[in-house]
Amino acid sequence: MTGATGATGTPPPKPDVADVSVGELMSNVMRDLSTLVRQEVTLAKAELKTEAAKAGKGAGLLSGAGFAGYMVLLFLSLALWWALANVMDQGWAALIVAGLWAVAGGVLLATGRRELRRVKPKPEQTVETLQQVPGALKGERA
């Protein structure tokens, strides 16, 4: 079966518009179209808000990776300084700390990149329903 049917399996009755003026019909169409547009805008906002939250999370993780990279440079510099100054225990300790920061930065970078790749900037549900509007205006049913 194609098209919408009523609870009994028969097509819904067509509204009687014989006694309705063209102006009133146009007013109804414009009201319904306005409602549809408002609903689509609300849907688009909701979808974009969700995607923006994902992007924010990924950006935060990348910021953490940037800070970890800064710490790697700081501790590598300190390690080199201590290694040249003492040539023994203190320099090696600083290298170990810098290595731990390098691992943390790598994990944050990989996680942040994965989160950003999951972001879908196009509001797919809104686009799909908006593609149905021209057919609906022509009286076609999905």
Side-chain angles (χ1 to χ4, degrees):
M1 276 201 268
T2 60
T5 60
T8 61
T10 60
K14 293 187 179 188
D16 183 24
V17 293
D19 296 334
V20 181
S21 70
V22 173
E24 192 175 340
L25 288 174
M26 290 304 292
S27 173
N28 290 342
V29 167
M30 294 307 292
R31 183 190 68 236
D32 292 346
L33 189 57
S34 175
T35 300
L36 176 64
V37 168
R38 274 196 308 275
Q39 289 172 343
E40 291 301 323
V41 167
T42 302
L43 177 60
K45 284 180 183 178
E47 286 185 274
L48 291 175
K49 183 177 180 182
T50 300
E51 295 304 314
K54 287 182 195 175
K57 182 179 178 182
L61 290 168
L62 288 177
S63 297
F67 178 73
Y70 168 75
M71 296 303 291
V72 167
L73 291 176
L74 175 67
F75 282 110
L76 282 175
S77 298
L78 288 172
L80 180 59
W81 176 61
W82 280 97
L84 291 174
N86 296 330
V87 190
M88 279 307 224
D89 297 334
Q90 292 177 359
W92 287 109
L95 280 174
I96 290 171
V97 172
L100 290 174
W101 273 108
V103 169
V107 168
L108 288 171
L109 177 66
T111 305
R113 287 182 66 192
R114 185 177 63 241
E115 286 295 317
L116 286 176
R117 286 185 179 141
R118 291 177 41 200
V119 172
K120 298 175 187 168
K122 183 172 90 173
E124 293 176 10
Q125 206 173 2
T126 302
V127 170
E128 181 182 326
T129 56
L130 283 177
Q131 288 173 346
Q132 296 172 359
V133 169
L137 290 176
K138 293 177 186 174
E140 299 172 5
R141 297 186 184 209

